[in-house]
């Protein structure tokens, strides 16, 4: 797994072909997403402490949103790539390649650093978008133009779906907080 992570960082496109065909790599993809989620959550949690808000809330939201974003992006990309652009993949293949493409987001552990944290997070996101492009191109066997369109459509639709899920989840958390406050005093 470490070799594959290093190859993602080196932009070695062949790692995605390898992960795509290796069904046993699903546990590795989940592990990569979990590691990235925890590192991002630590950065977000420290940032929350610096801003005098809840570390635990920021940490949990970062963990949950990392997994939701991964699944949503893989599912939407799979649907767009196979339905509109006639790419060839399974949902499992997309989960594996996109899971590994998330490696650059580990840099979000540094997101709490004043001034630089935002720049680091933006660069991590852009790097991840590019590794996602490589993963999607390899995973769906598409040419560059169709891959760009799949990434763009998939990202926009995935962002909207994740935003809606986040709003529902956020409203649910606020409601639970209000109810617990109402019964405590």
């Amino acid at each position: 797994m470490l070799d594959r992570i290093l190859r993602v960082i080196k932009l070695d496109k062949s790692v995605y072909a390898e992960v795509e065909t290796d069904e046993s790599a699903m546990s590795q993809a989940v592990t990569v997403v979990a590691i990235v989620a925890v590192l991002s959550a630590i950065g977000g949690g420290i940032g929350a402490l610096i801003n005098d808000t809840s570390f635990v809330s920021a940490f949990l939201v970062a963990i949950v949103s990392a997994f939701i974003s991964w699944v949503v992006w893989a599912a939407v990309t799979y649907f767009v790539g196979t339905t509109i652009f006639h790419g060839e993949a399974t949902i499992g293949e997309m989960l594996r390649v996109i899971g590994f493409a998330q490696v650059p987001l580990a840099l979000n552990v540094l997101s709490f650093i004043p001034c630089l944290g935002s720049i680091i997070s933006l660069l991590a996101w852009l790097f991840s978008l590019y590794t996602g492009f490589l993963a999607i191109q390899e995973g769906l066997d598409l040419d560059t133009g169709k891959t760009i369109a799949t990434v763009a459509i998939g990202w926009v639709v995935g962002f909207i779906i994740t935003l809606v899920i986040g709003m529902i989840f956020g409203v649910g958390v606020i409601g639970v907080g209000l109810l617990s406050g109402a019964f405590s005093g």
Side-chain angles (χ1 to χ4, degrees):
M1 183 174 80
L2 182 56
D3 175 63
R4 287 176 170 168
I5 289 170
L6 293 173
R7 288 169 53 206
V8 168
I9 293 168
K10 293 177 185 176
L11 302 175
D12 178 356
K13 189 176 177 178
S14 71
V15 71
Y16 300 110
E18 184 180 301
V19 169
E20 176 188 13
T21 59
D22 182 2
E23 291 184 19
S24 68
M26 184 63 81
S27 61
Q28 290 182 2
V30 171
T31 302
V32 167
V33 174
I35 290 168
V36 168
V38 168
L39 290 172
S40 295
I42 289 169
I46 292 171
L49 286 175
I50 291 170
N51 292 317
D52 203 27
T53 58
S54 172
F55 175 90
V56 173
S57 294
F59 188 88
L60 292 176
V61 166
I63 296 281
V64 170
S65 65
F67 279 96
I68 289 173
S69 296
W70 170 51
V71 171
V72 167
W73 194 23
V76 170
T77 300
Y78 166 76
F79 179 77
V80 170
T82 58
T83 305
I84 298 173
F85 298 110
H86 309 292
E88 295 181 19
T90 66
I91 189 68
E93 291 169 349
M94 292 311 300
L95 283 165
R96 290 192 298 273
V97 298
I98 289 178
F100 273 90
Q102 307 247 339
V103 166
L105 294 176
L107 290 171
N108 283 329
V109 71
L110 304 173
S111 65
F112 68 90
I113 299 172
C115 299
L116 288 178
S118 297
I119 295 168
I120 291 168
S121 290
L122 175 62
L123 291 174
W125 179 78
L126 291 171
F127 190 17
S128 176
L129 189 60
Y130 183 68
T131 57
F133 168 85
L134 295 175
I136 290 164
Q137 186 173 40
E138 193 63 38
L140 288 166
D141 304 311
L142 297 174
D143 64 34
T144 300
K146 289 180 179 179
T147 303
I148 290 171
T150 300
V151 169
I153 294 167
W155 190 87
V156 169
V157 172
F159 177 78
I160 292 167
I161 291 170
T162 303
L163 184 65
V164 169
I165 290 170
M167 288 175 20
I168 292 168
F169 181 70
V171 169
V173 169
I174 291 169
V176 169
L178 290 173
L179 284 175
S180 65
F183 292 116
S184 66

